[in-house]
Amino acid sequence: MRPIRFPIAALVLALPACGPSVDAPPNQADLDALAEEVREVMEEFTAATNSHDPERLFDLYKDTEEFVYMGCTDPLFGFDSFSARVGPYYRSNTDVTFEQEILQVQVLNPGAAVVTLRGSSTEASALFWTLVLVRQDDDRWLIAHEHESWPGCPEPAPPHPTGEMPAVGVEG
């Protein structure tokens, strides 16, 4: 009886090709291109803040319940609470202008990046932002988390007695 080596060897070699494909990690040129895309979004972010048009600004944000905004130490959970608080500010403070400088763009992977900005406005001399952007299926980068701080931020509220934040939408 003749051994069946070739078909078994072919099967063993073919199995890895049938598994899920694993994308190669992005090279430096890819990361640089993604960082440039994020920088362009941040330029639009500055232009949108100075336009005093909340809708133009909100087009740069991820409109979900998972969106988080930290203004100093005051969190807003969900895009709806953020836009309800921020929209009136931009409509009623048309004389306020912003300058922002990108300190760092860190592309975490092809779908996520972190940006650190330093800036000022006609109301505050030192503003700082940390923004987390996520890339959508349509290749748009949207802000999914924003932390803005300035000198003189209020002290944070004491932690909940259990040491945990209340769940979104749950009053405590």
Side-chain angles (χ1 to χ4, degrees):
M1 185 164 204
R2 205 168 119 202
I4 308 175
R5 289 185 209 151
F6 180 72
I8 293 173
L11 180 63
V12 169
L13 292 174
L15 283 177
C18 296
S21 67
V22 177
D23 293 337
N27 61 36
Q28 191 58 49
D30 293 338
L31 294 173
D32 291 344
L34 293 170
E36 185 56 34
E37 290 177 14
V38 172
R39 287 178 184 283
E40 290 172 8
V41 172
M42 290 297 93
E43 288 175 14
E44 175 56 23
F45 177 74
T46 301
T49 59
N50 288 321
S51 74
H52 306 290
D53 176 2
E55 297 313 313
R56 180 177 173 187
L57 181 63
F58 295 156
D59 282 344
L60 301 172
Y61 286 86
K62 191 163 175 71
D63 184 353
T64 64
E65 281 302 308
E66 290 78 28
F67 174 80
V68 177
Y69 171 81
M70 287 290 297
C72 277
T73 58
D74 182 24
L76 294 173
F77 297 99
F79 180 79
D80 290 342
S81 62
F82 166 74
S83 60
R85 174 91 50 95
V86 172
Y89 171 83
Y90 283 100
R91 284 186 197 94
S92 63
N93 292 286
T94 56
D95 57 331
V96 176
T97 57
F98 293 86
E99 291 183 22
Q100 295 161 332
E101 170 191 9
I102 298 172
L103 298 178
Q104 183 178 23
V105 173
Q106 181 182 9
V107 176
L108 303 176
N109 60 52
V114 178
V115 178
T116 305
L117 300 174
R118 173 178 53 203
S120 62
S121 75
T122 50
E123 289 184 326
S125 60
L127 299 169
F128 299 94
W129 291 265
T130 302
L131 303 114
V132 176
L133 288 86
V134 293
R135 193 170 191 190
Q136 303 302 289
D137 291 336
D138 62 0
D139 288 337
R140 290 183 60 220
W141 288 94
L142 296 178
I143 301 165
H145 180 102
E146 178 178 349
H147 183 193
E148 181 181 3
S149 61
W150 51 87
C153 285
E155 289 290 321
H160 190 272
T162 64
E164 298 177 8
M165 291 292 295
V168 175
V170 175
E171 297 183 20

